[in-house]
Amino acid sequence: MPQSPTPSADQTPRRERRKEARPGELLEAALDVFVEKGFAATRVEEIAARAGVSKGTLFLYFSSKEELFKAVVRKNISGLYANWSAEIDCMTASSTEMLAHAMQEWWKHVGSTKAGGLCKLMAAESGNFPELIDFYQQEVEAPGTALLARIVQRGIDRSEFRPVDVNYAAYVLKAPLAFLMLHPQGDDGIPGFDPDRFLSVQVDLLLHGLAVPQRPQDMPAAS
Amino acid sequence: MPQSPTPSADQTPRRERRKEARPGELLEAALDVFVEKGFAATRVEEIAARAGVSKGTLFLYFSSKEELFKAVVRKNISGLYANWSAEIDCMTASSTEMLAHAMQEWWKHVGSTKAGGLCKLMAAESGNFPELIDFYQQEVEAPGTALLARIVQRGIDRSEFRPVDVNYAAYVLKAPLAFLMLHPQGDDGIPGFDPDRFLSVQVDLLLHGLAVPQRPQDMPAAS
Amino acid sequence: MPQSPTPSADQTPRRERRKEARPGELLEAALDVFVEKGFAATRVEEIAARAGVSKGTLFLYFSSKEELFKAVVRKNISGLYANWSAEIDCMTASSTEMLAHAMQEWWKHVGSTKAGGLCKLMAAESGNFPELIDFYQQEVEAPGTALLARIVQRGIDRSEFRPVDVNYAAYVLKAPLAFLMLHPQGDDGIPGFDPDRFLSVQVDLLLHGLAVPQRPQDMPAAS
Amino acid sequence: MPQSPTPSADQTPRRERRKEARPGELLEAALDVFVEKGFAATRVEEIAARAGVSKGTLFLYFSSKEELFKAVVRKNISGLYANWSAEIDCMTASSTEMLAHAMQEWWKHVGSTKAGGLCKLMAAESGNFPELIDFYQQEVEAPGTALLARIVQRGIDRSEFRPVDVNYAAYVLKAPLAFLMLHPQGDDGIPGFDPDRFLSVQVDLLLHGLAVPQRPQDMPAAS
DNA sequence: CATGAATGAGTGTTCATTCAT
DNA sequence: GATGAATGAACACTCATTCAT
């Protein structure tokens, strides 16, 4: 005990400890309210209240409602792509497995969580808030598409996949995720609908097609 | 009820006809503006102006902005799939063609139109209209899924398709349509993204799969 | 009965009559409050309250606090210069009399009235609200200077005045008016100070100089 | 007593000296910011920052923004004219030169400095500080007027000036200074306006008049 | 004494809703 | 019925002031 004679676990004074925790608490509250109400319909005062602070305090940490929203997106979505991209590089699995894995991971960590609500939000309120949509496009949509395109390209390079337009393939792969995200889950959802089952079927179909193979015959290797 | 039982050309004097037409004109204007701006960002004054009436008059027919929105949804979404189902029954094309046709038709007549915009809105601002969500589920989602499921079942029955879970297959087929609807088109959209091209790739992938057939044999190149 | 049987003086309905009076009432109230409190310290709500309307109504007629202020300036100052300039053109008095007249008129109709407070305001809050000061410069200062410069030029042309730099002379002439305006009048003012007397002395000095003429001798006509 | 026990150079430890210097540093910073921004537009936080202390510390020394402003006025305006009066008494120049000198000096040492800015502020926002107005009248306006009046009286006594009402003449002389002070200098000012030139023209006019001498006779051109 | 995190009343502005005409 | 002038409750954001540390 170098310093104070009563060295409890709480060395930092309460005020200071709170200061460091504030942004995180606000970000969490903001995520909840934005997802619940949408961007336009969210009142900053409610976010502040849920974080247990006053309106003024919120603006101490985030300079505007829009900045706060961006911070929420960065914290909950943007960062994930960086990790995933790195993860891809050191995987040895087949590209098929990789694709299935990537989609399942996205659903588990984004789509099925509150972060998924953010994506829904952006799609909905895109018309207004043009600055926000640009940000979202760059920070979320583009990296996501790029990640999937990279896996598809890898599959093509390794002759696992047919040669297709990788960008459109990436969009196709994203579609079911968007679909999943859009649909209300839980009580309001389609009764008996199981997201994981849906993803399995989706991956099976995308990889093997719906059509019955037409009498498998010789096929020249993809040029 | 727009179709009165006595559909004469012009019996009612013009003044009165306008009076009876008012709600319809307002609903039409409201559809336009809501789709363009979103619910929160829409000003009732603009709707009134587009319908050629004063703000006060709007409130004569709809007790609030929210009621007006509900009326718009009810008018435009209900019965969306009524005719289509019948059309299916008398088609003789292959199930593959049917599927491609159905998806393209949906995009052409719903997804890319104002009705599509309404669906986007519903998804987006559903949080604020919990009562509408069931309605939307029953009137739009369920029939759409059923329609696709029927085609898939037909394909399986005729040995055109592999036997798969028809409901999940239907969801899978709806996914790209939802994706398409969600994404902003025109200037705000992804540069270089072509919805029709996207649908082609999608249909190709869903029917033939992404994976190279396991036991590569001779097969004529798909024309 | 097209012509109602009780044709009182009030043919226009009360609501409508008010509508036409509103801008004037608001402008009057705004003049009072702006002069009393300064631009920044004035709350639009107080202006509205003094005009007997709600805050919202004010914005029905003026799109912002700044626009309202500009309108006040236009109504109370800008317009006067146009009249004066025309008046000048048809006067036959000597340039000396004209100058004295112009300055007295300005003091009577602007400087000594609430409008004078506006000028004081502009000088004070010039640092902030750069848009406002540009407007004021163009709308008030420039025309005022131009008017005085014109009279001085006329005097020079008619050999009534010595040839001097007319623009600086105009500034010199404006100086005492600015001085007058700046000084609190009434109870707070300098005891025994009489603005009219001040102007007389000023005009006398500016025209004849303070210095004793040095033995009047031959002097070549101004080239 | 060469090393007096009290007025040493630096007996107090640095910490404490800072403590005692605080109010002065704050007043200096406040002067700067108030003059730059005006009272309403000044943020106490900026004053504190410029003084190198925290916002809270400022309130330790001044109970409110308003009190701080008053203190600034009292510190910077009082005694403005104390020395000048003595200086006048021992000058031997002509009264004409004295007047020109006095006005130029005032502009150089007061009008164009921060103190001048304070006067502008006082005039502008006086409405919000009624108690300061008497103070300003006694400490600034009155002594300034008296000083000029004394010079004019001297000129009359020495037959340099025409006999005029000395008090009003003093006001007339102050007018251009007030005018100068009021007008924004630098970039915001009237383009091409030169304060020194303005003062020259002013002095020339006030001393020799604008009007051509009535009985034009030979007179050497003013050098 | 000094700090700076926290506050909350206050600001200009918007817009759904009302109601006298 | 139809109008549109009027309303006032919100809203995002600011900043003088307080007070726990």
Side-chain angles (χ1 to χ4, degrees):
Chain A
M1 342 166 156
Q3 261 79 4
S4 93
T6 56
S8 84
D10 276 349
Q11 280 180 333
T12 49
R14 205 188 313 162
R15 199 72 164 265
E16 191 150 340
R17 242 191 22 261
R18 300 216 71 185
K19 186 207 166 174
E20 277 165 26
R22 278 285 134 78
E25 293 167 7
L26 281 164
L27 249 13
E28 226 164 293
L31 173 63
D32 285 359
V33 187
F34 278 136
V35 167
E36 235 170 75
K37 303 274 172 71
F39 180 79
T42 288
R43 286 174 297 128
V44 291
E45 194 157 21
E46 180 164 3
I47 295 176
R50 287 214 201 170
V53 300
S54 73
K55 213 188 342 182
T57 302
L58 187 154
F59 284 95
L60 229 49
Y61 295 96
F62 302 93
S63 62
S64 72
K65 188 185 180 182
E66 212 154 306
E67 278 312 316
L68 174 56
F69 183 79
K70 286 185 188 176
V72 170
V73 170
R74 279 198 203 92
K75 182 189 172 190
N76 290 283
I77 311 189
S78 303
L80 298 179
Y81 287 107
N83 299 346
W84 284 340
S85 195
E87 210 179 310
I88 292 296
D89 290 328
C90 44
M91 274 181 78
T92 59
S94 73
S95 298
T96 293
E97 285 166 342
M98 230 160 167
L99 232 34
H101 176 73
M103 291 170 76
Q104 276 150 6
E105 282 291 291
W106 185 90
W107 176 248
K108 191 167 150 200
H109 292 112
V110 180
S112 67
T113 70
K114 274 178 274 182
L118 283 182
C119 303
K120 201 151 87 174
L121 242 189
M122 283 307 307
E125 316 206 42
S126 61
N128 331 298
F129 316 105
E131 204 191 317
L132 236 44
I133 192 151
D134 283 356
F135 166 81
Y136 184 74
Q137 199 55 246
Q138 285 170 26
E139 204 82 4
V140 180
E141 291 294 346
T145 304
L147 189 70
L148 290 171
R150 270 185 62 208
I151 304 181
V152 172
Q153 185 64 57
R154 178 183 185 268
I156 294 172
D157 291 344
R158 297 171 52 162
S159 300
E160 295 173 274
F161 296 157
R162 289 194 288 140
V164 293
D165 182 318
V166 290
N167 276 313
Y168 280 85
Y171 294 140
V172 167
L173 291 160
K174 284 175 81 177
L177 300 175
F179 175 81
L180 219 38
M181 200 181 61
L182 226 61
H183 277 257
Q185 299 171 245
D187 297 345
D188 289 333
I190 307 164
F193 180 79
D194 173 12
D196 289 322
R197 177 96 208 277
F198 169 79
L199 273 182
S200 295
V201 173
Q202 174 75 38
V203 168
D204 177 62
L205 273 183
L206 282 175
L207 293 176
H208 305 110
L210 186 57
V212 170
Q214 336 231 53
R215 296 186 294 115
Q217 295 160 4
D218 280 354
M219 186 171 89
S223 66
Chain B
M1 298 302 162
Q3 268 83 355
S4 84
T6 56
S8 92
D10 253 349
Q11 281 180 330
T12 47
R14 218 174 294 171
R15 266 292 175 85
E16 193 146 341
R17 237 182 36 256
R18 286 220 75 186
K19 212 190 297 185
E20 277 169 22
R22 281 279 144 79
E25 291 168 9
L26 280 163
L27 284 170
E28 227 165 292
L31 172 63
D32 285 0
V33 187
F34 279 135
V35 166
E36 238 170 73
K37 305 272 172 72
F39 178 79
T42 287
R43 283 177 296 131
V44 291
E45 191 158 25
E46 184 166 359
I47 294 175
R50 290 211 199 175
V53 300
S54 74
K55 217 181 348 175
T57 303
L58 188 153
F59 282 92
L60 234 45
Y61 294 99
F62 302 94
S63 63
S64 74
K65 188 185 178 184
E66 193 165 328
E67 282 306 323
L68 173 59
F69 179 73
K70 289 183 192 169
V72 169
V73 173
R74 287 200 192 89
K75 178 189 171 191
N76 288 282
I77 293 196
S78 280
L80 217 52
Y81 293 89
N83 316 6
W84 289 27
S85 196
E87 204 180 316
I88 292 296
D89 290 330
C90 43
M91 275 182 76
T92 60
S94 74
S95 299
T96 293
E97 284 166 345
M98 228 162 169
L99 231 33
H101 177 73
M103 289 169 80
Q104 277 150 5
E105 284 290 292
W106 182 90
W107 175 245
K108 195 167 149 200
H109 293 113
V110 181
S112 66
T113 69
K114 277 179 263 179
L118 253 199
C119 296
K120 192 152 96 177
L121 254 190
M122 282 297 310
E125 316 209 43
S126 62
N128 302 76
F129 303 98
E131 26 176 336
L132 277 184
I133 228 164
D134 286 352
F135 171 81
Y136 180 71
Q137 203 50 250
Q138 287 168 26
E139 298 280 333
V140 183
E141 291 297 344
T145 305
L147 190 69
L148 290 171
R150 271 186 59 210
I151 306 181
V152 173
Q153 186 63 56
R154 178 181 184 268
I156 295 173
D157 291 345
R158 296 170 53 162
S159 297
E160 293 173 276
F161 296 159
R162 293 193 287 135
V164 293
D165 182 316
V166 290
N167 275 313
Y168 280 88
Y171 293 140
V172 167
L173 291 160
K174 285 177 76 179
L177 301 175
F179 177 81
L180 219 39
M181 202 180 59
L182 229 59
H183 276 257
Q185 295 172 250
D187 295 345
D188 288 336
I190 306 165
F193 181 79
D194 172 12
D196 289 323
R197 175 101 209 274
F198 169 79
L199 274 182
S200 295
V201 173
Q202 175 76 38
V203 167
D204 177 63
L205 274 183
L206 284 176
L207 292 177
H208 306 112
L210 184 59
V212 171
Q214 288 86 341
R215 293 169 294 130
Q217 294 162 8
D218 278 356
M219 186 168 95
S223 68
Chain C
M1 326 165 163
Q3 273 85 352
S4 99
T6 55
S8 86
D10 274 346
Q11 281 179 333
T12 49
R14 206 189 311 164
R15 198 73 164 262
E16 192 151 338
R17 251 201 3 271
R18 302 216 68 183
K19 186 209 168 176
E20 277 164 25
R22 279 286 134 76
E25 293 167 8
L26 281 163
L27 250 13
E28 226 164 293
L31 175 62
D32 285 359
V33 187
F34 278 136
V35 167
E36 234 170 75
K37 302 273 172 69
F39 180 79
T42 288
R43 286 174 296 127
V44 290
E45 194 158 23
E46 180 164 4
I47 295 176
R50 287 214 202 171
V53 300
S54 73
K55 215 182 347 176
T57 301
L58 187 154
F59 284 94
L60 228 49
Y61 295 96
F62 302 95
S63 62
S64 73
K65 187 185 180 182
E66 212 155 306
E67 279 312 318
L68 173 57
F69 183 79
K70 286 184 187 175
V72 170
V73 171
R74 278 197 203 92
K75 181 190 173 188
N76 289 284
I77 311 189
S78 304
L80 298 178
Y81 287 106
N83 299 345
W84 286 340
S85 195
E87 209 179 309
I88 293 295
D89 290 328
C90 44
M91 274 181 79
T92 60
S94 74
S95 299
T96 295
E97 286 165 344
M98 230 161 166
L99 233 33
H101 177 72
M103 291 170 77
Q104 276 149 6
E105 283 289 291
W106 185 89
W107 176 248
K108 193 168 147 200
H109 293 111
V110 181
S112 68
T113 70
K114 274 179 276 183
L118 284 181
C119 303
K120 202 150 88 174
L121 241 189
M122 284 307 307
E125 317 206 43
S126 60
N128 330 299
F129 317 104
E131 204 191 316
L132 236 41
I133 192 150
D134 282 358
F135 165 81
Y136 184 74
Q137 200 55 247
Q138 285 171 25
E139 205 81 5
V140 180
E141 291 294 345
T145 304
L147 189 70
L148 290 172
R150 270 185 62 209
I151 305 182
V152 172
Q153 185 64 55
R154 178 183 185 269
I156 294 171
D157 291 344
R158 299 171 49 160
S159 298
E160 295 172 275
F161 297 157
R162 292 193 288 139
V164 293
D165 182 317
V166 290
N167 276 312
Y168 279 87
Y171 294 140
V172 168
L173 291 160
K174 284 176 81 176
L177 301 174
F179 176 82
L180 219 39
M181 200 181 61
L182 227 62
H183 278 259
Q185 297 172 247
D187 298 344
D188 289 334
I190 309 165
F193 180 78
D194 172 12
D196 289 323
R197 175 100 211 273
F198 169 79
L199 273 182
S200 294
V201 174
Q202 174 76 38
V203 168
D204 177 62
L205 274 182
L206 282 175
L207 293 177
H208 305 111
L210 186 58
V212 171
Q214 338 230 50
R215 294 186 296 115
Q217 293 160 5
D218 281 353
M219 188 172 90
S223 62
Chain D
M1 347 163 146
Q3 272 85 350
S4 89
T6 47
S8 95
D10 253 347
Q11 280 182 329
T12 48
R14 217 175 296 171
R15 266 295 176 85
E16 193 148 339
R17 236 182 40 253
R18 285 221 77 185
K19 211 192 297 185
E20 278 169 22
R22 282 280 146 78
E25 292 169 7
L26 279 164
L27 283 170
E28 228 164 292
L31 172 63
D32 285 0
V33 187
F34 279 136
V35 166
E36 238 171 72
K37 305 271 173 73
F39 178 79
T42 288
R43 284 176 297 133
V44 292
E45 191 158 24
E46 183 165 3
I47 295 176
R50 289 211 200 174
V53 300
S54 74
K55 217 182 345 177
T57 305
L58 187 153
F59 284 93
L60 235 44
Y61 294 99
F62 302 94
S63 63
S64 73
K65 188 186 179 183
E66 194 166 328
E67 281 307 323
L68 173 58
F69 179 73
K70 289 183 191 170
V72 169
V73 173
R74 287 200 192 90
K75 180 188 171 191
N76 288 281
I77 293 196
S78 282
L80 218 52
Y81 293 89
N83 317 7
W84 288 26
S85 195
E87 204 181 315
I88 293 295
D89 290 329
C90 44
M91 275 182 77
T92 60
S94 74
S95 298
T96 292
E97 286 165 344
M98 228 163 168
L99 232 33
H101 177 73
M103 289 170 77
Q104 277 149 6
E105 285 290 291
W106 183 90
W107 175 247
K108 194 166 148 200
H109 294 112
V110 181
S112 66
T113 69
K114 276 178 263 179
L118 252 199
C119 297
K120 192 153 95 177
L121 253 189
M122 282 297 310
E125 316 210 42
S126 62
N128 301 76
F129 303 97
E131 27 176 337
L132 277 185
I133 228 165
D134 285 354
F135 171 80
Y136 179 72
Q137 203 51 250
Q138 288 168 25
E139 298 279 336
V140 183
E141 292 297 342
T145 305
L147 189 70
L148 289 170
R150 273 184 58 209
I151 305 182
V152 173
Q153 186 63 59
R154 178 183 184 268
I156 294 172
D157 291 344
R158 297 171 51 163
S159 297
E160 294 172 276
F161 296 157
R162 292 192 288 136
V164 294
D165 182 318
V166 290
N167 274 313
Y168 281 86
Y171 293 140
V172 168
L173 291 160
K174 285 178 74 179
L177 301 173
F179 177 81
L180 220 40
M181 201 179 63
L182 229 59
H183 276 256
Q185 296 171 247
D187 296 345
D188 288 335
I190 307 166
F193 181 79
D194 172 13
D196 290 324
R197 175 99 209 274
F198 170 79
L199 274 182
S200 295
V201 173
Q202 175 75 37
V203 167
D204 176 62
L205 274 183
L206 283 175
L207 293 177
H208 306 112
L210 184 60
V212 172
Q214 288 85 341
R215 292 166 294 133
Q217 294 161 8
D218 279 355
M219 188 172 92
S223 65

